[in-house]
């Protein structure tokens, strides 16, 4: 079997796992009157959905050792077959995944955003002027004004050594979920219309990009890293900007590079002036 065929098969299985996971999630979160399962059984079904998500993520990983193996998944078959009588301890330390939908273009997914303890709490260090965004509809370009400049930023891709492991990754400049993951890159290839004229930006301002991804085992969306572009970097053409460790430092005073490897956020800027 050649490499391309193997990759296509992995993609098929990845999608099937995600579809089955979402069916199980719906059953796990069905109201009591609409379900034939007990609350404990629904909790077990939810955990199986989590394992399916983890297996799907493992198939996207470029690591030599997959985190959730096919052998692990096979252990769940007898549990699902005997869900009405199963009363043993679940074989994996996971929690049920909250119900999420596969988005159609233009839809917006409403998620509760939390940060784990190591990230310093939800929105740590984030002023009101930088609200959290969820993946979904891209905002249109503002109307042009004489003498004023608008900026379109194409978010092309972000380089991460473990790019394949992230579930539903996106960047909080209102991007949709990533288009694909390949090697050490998560690809987006979407245009972001800055919702303010360049001339109206506050002196010393910066445009921040937070890379987020879903953690099914912890049941929340987490920030992995961030990057920012300062005013003197706003110019037409391609640009790569460095990635920094969380939590996001909007004051830019205690910056720590995410990695020593040459991995960056790749952007392309287009300026529009009437």
């Amino acid at each position: 079997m050649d490499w391309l065929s193997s990759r296509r098969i992995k993609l098929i299985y990845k999608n099937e796992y995600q579809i089955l996971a979402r069916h199980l999630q719906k059953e796990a979160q069905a109201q009591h009157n609409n379900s034939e399962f007990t609350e404990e059984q629904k909790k077990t079904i939810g955990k199986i959905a989590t394992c399916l998500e983890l297996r799907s993520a493992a198939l996207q990983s470029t690591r030599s050792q997959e985190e959730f193996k096919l052998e692990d998944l096979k252990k769940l078959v007898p549990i699902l077959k005997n869900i009405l009588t199963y009363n043993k301890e679940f074989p994996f330390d996971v929690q049920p995944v909250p119900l999420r939908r596969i988005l159609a273009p233009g839809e917006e997914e409403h998620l509760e955003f939390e940060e784990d303890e190591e990230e310093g709490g939800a929105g740590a260090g984030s002023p009101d002027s930088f609200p959290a965004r969820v993946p979904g509809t891209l905002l249109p370009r503002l109307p042009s004004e004489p003498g004023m400049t608008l900026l379109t930023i194409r978010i092309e891709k972000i380089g991460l050594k473990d790019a394949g492991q992230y579930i539903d990754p996106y960047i909080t400049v209102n991007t949709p979920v990533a288009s694909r993951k390949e090697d050490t890159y998560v690809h987006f290839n979407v245009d972001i219309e800055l919702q303010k004229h360049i001339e109206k930006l506050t002196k010393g301002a910066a445009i921040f990009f937070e890379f987020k991804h879903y953690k099914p085992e912890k049941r929340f969306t987490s920030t992995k890293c961030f990057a920012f572009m300062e005013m003197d970097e706003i110019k037409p053409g391609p640009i790569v900007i460095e990635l920094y460790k969380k939590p996001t430092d909007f004051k830019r005073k205690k910056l720590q590079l995410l990695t020593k490897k040459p991995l960056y956020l790749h952007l392309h800027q287009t300026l529009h002036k009437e």
Side-chain angles (χ1 to χ4, degrees), residues 143-209:
S144 60
E145 294 184 18
M148 292 292 178
T149 308
L150 291 168
L151 172 63
T152 301
I153 303 173
R154 168 157 284 255
I155 299 179
E156 296 180 341
K157 58 186 178 181
I158 185 171
L160 297 165
K161 62 181 181 181
D162 50 357
Q165 75 169 355
Y166 299 103
I167 296 176
D168 291 355
Y170 64 97
I171 290 177
T172 56
V173 190
N174 202 28
T175 74
V177 168
S179 59
R180 76 180 194 278
K181 288 166 274 188
E182 186 175 25
D183 298 326
T184 56
Y185 289 102
V186 176
H187 294 257
F188 292 92
N189 293 313
V190 292
D191 289 333
I192 304 300
E193 303 294 344
L194 191 66
Q195 297 297 298
K196 201 163 190 177
H197 292 86
I198 300 300
E199 291 80 4
K200 294 181 181 179
L201 291 175
T202 306
K203 183 179 180 181
I207 301 170
F208 278 78
F209 305 83

Side-chain angles (χ1 to χ4, degrees), residues 9 34 39 63 89 134 158 168 178 188 205 217 239 251:
I9 291 173
N34 298 325
E39 291 304 311
R63 296 178 179 181
E89 185 176 350
V134 295
I158 185 171
D168 291 355
F188 292 92
E217 71 279 9
I239 182 176
K251 295 182 179 179

Side-chain angles (χ1 to χ4, degrees), residues 120-134:
S126 173
D128 293 339
S129 58
F130 292 91
R133 301 305 299 265
V134 295

Side-chain angles (χ1 to χ4, degrees), residues 17-234:
Y17 288 144
Q18 289 179 344
I19 291 170
L20 180 55
R22 281 159 175 76
H23 282 304
L24 293 178
Q25 288 166 25
K26 290 179 181 179
E27 190 60 53
Q29 296 198 3
Q31 296 298 319
H32 179 71
N33 294 337
N34 298 325
S35 177
E36 60 182 293
F37 301 108
T38 66
E39 291 304 311
E40 194 62 33
Q41 290 165 351
K42 287 193 289 185
K43 185 176 181 181
T44 300
I45 291 172
K47 288 183 177 182
I48 294 174
T50 297
C51 292
L52 288 167
E53 292 258 14
L54 291 173
R55 178 58 188 161
S56 177
L59 289 176
Q60 301 176 67
S61 177
T62 56
R63 296 178 179 181
S64 57
Q65 293 184 338
E66 296 169 341
E67 292 186 353
F68 200 90
K69 301 179 183 300
L70 181 59
E71 291 74 19
D72 296 327
L73 199 63
K74 289 179 178 178
K75 296 177 183 178
L76 304 177
V77 175
I79 300 176
L80 196 54
K81 284 184 176 180
N82 302 286
I83 190 66
L84 295 178
T85 57
Y86 182 79
N87 58 5
K88 298 179 182 179
E89 185 176 350
F90 198 77
F92 304 104
D93 184 18
V94 297
Q95 294 298 318
V97 178
L99 183 63
R100 297 183 296 130
R101 295 186 297 117
I102 298 176
L103 299 180
E107 283 190 293
E108 184 171 352
E109 182 174 20
H110 300 284
L111 297 174
E112 289 187 7
F113 287 83
E114 301 177 26
E115 300 294 344
D116 54 18
E117 292 180 0
E118 66 175 325
E119 292 173 2
S126 173
D128 293 339
S129 58
F130 292 91
R133 301 305 299 265
V134 295
T137 305
L138 297 178
L139 298 176
R141 188 179 305 166
L142 293 176
S144 60
E145 294 184 18
M148 292 292 178
T149 308
L150 291 168
L151 172 63
T152 301
I153 303 173
R154 168 157 284 255
I155 299 179
E156 296 180 341
K157 58 186 178 181
I158 185 171
L160 297 165
K161 62 181 181 181
D162 50 357
Q165 75 169 355
Y166 299 103
I167 296 176
D168 291 355
Y170 64 97
I171 290 177
T172 56
V173 190
N174 202 28
T175 74
V177 168
S179 59
R180 76 180 194 278
K181 288 166 274 188
E182 186 175 25
D183 298 326
T184 56
Y185 289 102
V186 176
H187 294 257
F188 292 92
N189 293 313
V190 292
D191 289 333
I192 304 300
E193 303 294 344
L194 191 66
Q195 297 297 298
K196 201 163 190 177
H197 292 86
I198 300 300
E199 291 80 4
K200 294 181 181 179
L201 291 175
T202 306
K203 183 179 180 181
I207 301 170
F208 278 78
F209 305 83
E210 289 182 294
F211 179 80
K212 294 178 179 284
H213 63 109
Y214 184 73
K215 287 186 174 181
E217 71 279 9
K218 293 186 178 180
R219 300 177 61 194
F220 60 69
T221 295
S222 174
T223 299
K224 169 67 177 179
C225 58
F226 72 97
F228 61 87
M229 190 171 66
E230 299 188 278
M231 296 296 290
D232 61 0
E233 295 176 300
I234 297 177

